[in-house]
Amino acid sequence: MARNVNFDLSHPLMELGLESPVDEEGVHDSFNQLIAEQSQSGESEAIELQQLQRELEEEGRDNVAYLSSPSHDYRGGRQQRGVECDDDERQIDPLIGEQWSSATLKVLSSMPSRTIGRNRGAIISQYYNRTMQLRRRRQSRPSIRHMDRSARPSIRDYGMEGDSVDAEGSKRERLVNNLQNLSVNDRIRMLRAMPLSVAEKRGLRTSALNKERHAPSGSGIPCCSQLKYYIIIAARQSWYSWLSFLHSLQLWQVALKRVSGRFGTGVLSYFLFLKTLLFFNLFLFLVTGVFMVLPQAVHPPVPPENRSFSGLELLTGAGYFSDTVMYYGHYSDNTLRKSCRDDDGGKDVVVSNETSSDCKSNHLSYNMPLAYFFTIGSAFFITCIILVYSMSKSFGRSFRIDKSQSILALKVFCCWDYRVFKKTSVKLMSENICIQLKELLAEVSHKQDKVTVCQKLWRLTVHGLAWAICIGSITACVSGIYFFSEHMHKDLQQRTRSNSNDPLLLKEASLLALPVVVSLINMLLPGLFNLAAWMEEYESPSVRTYVAISRNLLLKVSVLAVLCYHWLGRVAAEPESIGLTCWESFVGQELYRFLLMDLIFTLLDTLFGEFLWRLFSERVLKRRRKPVFDIPRNVLELIYGQTLAWVGFLFTPILPAVQLLKLLLLFYVKKSSVMMNCQAPRKPYRVSQMTTIFITLLCFPSFLGASVSVTYTMWSITPSKTCGPFRGLKTMMQAGKLWVKALEKDNPNLSMLAKAHSYLVENPFFLFVGAGIFLIVIYFRSQVVDGQRKIINLLQEQIENEGEDKKFLITRLQSIHEQKRTPARLTSQDSGC
């Protein structure tokens, strides 16, 4: 009869003895040691097997033990029919279950797996010996393997004969005494390793604690030791309290639990990915703010022009914001020096690199071109390391072997957290577990139907047509963006040549045309992809999600490639033709406009695509169906915006802050829209590898493309001659080269630094080598995980094969017994007649 288990969570043992996967080794070791000790008696087991064989040969008529409880008439009728039937018809599967002989049951009862868990007294005796070993670890004592069998406890001794109540009580009392004398950690490990029920373990723990409480306090423990123990306990409790406090400070913890409980792991992966991007942009914002924006804001190069603020600058990024720390053109190519004073001696001044040697000799200088160059390079390098580490860690976490059947058992029996006691937390955890069980059950029950050749050809035709439609639409849209950007570029050239007197606001508003067209395509074309997926009728929701991700990714990559060519191939190549004195600031403004338009169209899509569609479905169509959250499109929009932020990081140092605000706004808008306007997928599915795929897409198409664009700009394109920290240089890379030469000139001992800079920084070969090393690390990581997966599959197959072997041996044993018993039955019936 089942009993409810009441865990005492307030007890210090429960606080100290947290569950850990490492503790499983102790359980397995305990069983292995018990089996090993019982398997060492080779001679006695051989004698028993010989006796069993003789019993099988001499046994003439045997009473059959049924696994179930059939009636006597059925048993007698089956014995009479067994005389007339053949041996093959008479033989049944003993594992499924009709009859096992007593000899078979005797052999099965002597198996280690049956013997270990059958007798509680044997287990108590065994673990009493182990607690004694823990108490006497410092004393020299022979191993139990070298002891005589009569001198050590045996499971067989207790298992076959049975223990009396008094003997078991004395063993239990001695085991409780030994547990009392153990340390807390050893006691917890020993209790966990015992193959007893939870109620019996709890009883042993309670008995040990009661004895410990009634024992005289401080007996045998010096005052210094007691003080040391109190300090250790206080420090540990403080550390656990601090960890609990840090855990409570996690961003959006409750909101993510609510999303996971209602919509599953697929929608949760989107918000987790958004949270990851938020931390990336926070890191970039802090780096640029400390090393670039703040020093330049404290020491502005020239007094800014007084421009009026009309409000349109919030959309265009031009006008009032043009000559601010927001863009590349505002940063000076001078060295900021703290100790150079003007004639009045009241303020610090900014001096150029051609300042007199007297001023240069003073300390506390800040080289802005060098800071700009190394800040950008270091930020990209650290971001690359974090991405590679996150992707490698995610590979190892998501591609592990986790069959749905085993995870389902763990979720059913081990997923509840008994430390949760608030009603809201209990409700959230219940919803979360319910959704996870639905996903696992859907994956377990999913079976692929057999498809005929004609159906396969039809599906291939439909898939080919859908892909042709998607690729054709992407090609058409990308070509339209290319020609429209070329038209806008020529229009700027014509306005510059004709010196048109159009209002400034109209000129700035016309710059929004290209971002609006691109954002409109990014919003509408995924709807066509969903229509194509509806035509294909994918059986698996996860496959449909991955196909949608690949199509949206192809669209975003193509659009970004055309835009990068427009900015770095047209605008940067001929800035004078469109009347630009600082093309870097113009590109930064373009990227700001694209990022802002992407946010606006995402909010419009959330409003019209989710909110208004829900109202239309409920009030006009009179249906309760709500739209399903489109994971691929929303995730690729995040990757698209983050790529724009990385590309514009060089031209607009404040762009990570804009992206940071955009992600914060998107989280709350999307979370509210999902909870109000969307419904969970009708077919639950588990996306164990979704986060890994998102990180991979963020690393390779997104970050790699942005890094190539920024590296090409710094290595190959000539900077503007009248603005920015690299004015007057052929490339941005020369800023580091000039600094190294100046150091070598001031101190000849630093000549090795100049050589190292020329080989490591100026030579792109080492850049490709570093990128290759990162790729090799990721490749080896994936190969190691793949090898572990194959090994685990082989081990699982071996376990299954061993189970089949056991079934085969038991069946053969039963068959041999039936063959031995049949002639004896025939002779007895003949004699009776």
Side-chain angles (χ1 to χ4, degrees), residues 159-324:
M160 301 306 245
E161 301 295 334
D163 295 327
S164 62
V165 179
D166 297 335
E168 183 177 342
S170 62
K171 294 172 188 175
R172 180 186 180 90
E173 187 69 21
R174 286 181 292 173
L175 179 58
V176 169
N177 292 332
N178 290 336
L179 287 174
Q180 176 191 354
N181 295 325
L182 292 177
S183 64
V184 176
N185 293 331
D186 291 339
R187 185 189 308 167
I188 292 172
R189 293 192 189 98
M190 186 61 63
L191 286 172
R192 285 177 179 170
M194 291 182 183
L196 296 173
S197 64
V198 177
E200 292 173 350
K201 290 183 181 181
R202 186 176 57 187
L204 290 173
R205 184 194 66 184
T206 305
S207 301
L209 289 176
N210 290 333
K211 282 200 171 187
E212 187 177 358
R213 290 171 182 173
H214 290 82
S217 60
S219 59
I221 301 178
C223 295
C224 297
S225 299
Q226 290 184 8
L227 180 60
K228 181 184 70 173
Y229 293 149
Y230 291 151
I231 293 175
I232 292 174
I233 293 173
R236 184 174 295 179
Q237 290 179 352
S238 301
W239 174 249
Y240 288 155
S241 301
W242 173 250
L243 290 179
S244 178
F245 175 72
L246 292 179
H247 183 72
S248 64
L249 293 180
Q250 288 184 0
L251 187 62
W252 303 326
Q253 185 180 5
V254 178
L256 293 177
K257 287 183 179 180
R258 290 177 180 173
V259 171
S260 176
R262 287 188 57 181
F263 300 95
T265 56
V267 180
L268 177 65
S269 62
Y270 166 80
F271 289 98
L272 291 177
F273 184 65
L274 189 149
K275 184 179 177 181
T276 303
L277 295 182
L278 186 74
F279 286 116
F280 274 115
N281 288 278
L282 180 62
F283 163 72
L284 294 178
F285 170 68
L286 293 177
V287 169
T288 55
V290 172
F291 296 103
M292 292 169 54
V293 178
L294 187 60
Q296 189 64 63
V298 173
H299 303 284
V302 291
E305 299 179 3
N306 294 324
R307 296 187 179 184
S308 60
F309 181 77
S310 61
L312 187 63
E313 291 86 352
L314 294 175
L315 294 177
T316 62
Y320 180 81
F321 298 117
S322 297
D323 196 12
T324 60

Side-chain angles (χ1 to χ4, degrees), residues 83 219 289 375 412 431 490 544 580 641 795 797 828:
V83 179
S219 59
T375 300
V412 171
E431 293 178 350
K490 291 180 179 179
R544 180 175 180 175
L580 295 178
L795 293 175
E797 291 179 2
S828 63

Side-chain angles (χ1 to χ4, degrees), residues 284 348 410 483 524 580 683 715 810:
L284 294 178
D348 298 339
L410 290 175
F483 290 113
L524 296 179
L580 295 178
K683 292 183 179 181
W715 248 293
I810 296 173

Side-chain angles (χ1 to χ4, degrees), residues 397-417:
R397 186 169 53 244
S398 65
F399 284 93
R400 64 179 183 266
I401 298 301
D402 46 359
K403 289 189 176 181
S404 301
Q405 293 86 349
S406 60
I407 297 183
L408 185 60
L410 290 175
K411 288 293 180 184
V412 171
F413 295 107
C414 307
C415 64
W416 187 261
D417 188 359

Side-chain angles (χ1 to χ4, degrees), residues 523 598-610 612:
M523 186 182 71
D598 180 67
L599 172 63
I600 292 175
F601 276 84
T602 301
L603 297 179
L604 290 176
D605 177 68
T606 303
L607 175 65
F608 291 100
E610 296 175 0
L612 294 182

Side-chain angles (χ1 to χ4, degrees), residues 142-156:
S143 175
I144 194 171
R145 296 180 180 270
H146 301 92
M147 294 174 63
D148 185 61
R149 290 185 56 82
S150 61
R152 59 174 175 166
S154 174
I155 291 180
R156 195 182 304 275

